[in-house]
Amino acid sequence: MREKIKLSGVPKTMLQTIYARAKESRGRGAIHDAKAEELIEKLDYDFSLADKDAAMHSGVIARTINSTGESRMGKHLPNCCRVFDSWRNTV
């Protein structure tokens, strides 16, 4: 049984972020977030506004890819490959 919830303000915004991650994980798959998918499946909530907000969805996914990419770059790429990251921070 899905749980009906009613949110506003910051909690509503936070849920929209989780929804964007779950939607991307189930769809195109640029990221994989099983926990977000699991949480969204358990909720009875109207996500129709989030479905219409492509900019928010794209922003969430871009930030997620950027943050995971940076952490992986630091651990797995040789120092010479970090030049782009240094340059990007000066632009």
Side-chain angles (χ1 to χ4, degrees), residues 58-85:
S58 297
V60 167
I61 303 313
R63 283 189 302 278
T64 301
I65 291 171
N66 187 42
S67 66
T68 58
E70 287 175 355
S71 67
R72 289 182 184 151
M73 222 178 1
K75 293 177 184 174
H76 301 292
L77 293 180
N79 288 334
C80 64
C81 293
R82 295 189 191 142
V83 171
F84 173 75
D85 193 44

Side-chain angles (χ1 to χ4, degrees), residues 23-43:
K23 185 176 176 182
E24 181 67 26
S25 185
R26 286 189 306 247
R28 205 172 38 161
I31 64 166
H32 179 70
D33 191 336
K35 188 51 119 178
E37 289 182 57
E38 177 187 336
L39 289 170
I40 296 304
E41 268 308 304
K42 292 180 179 182
L43 299 177

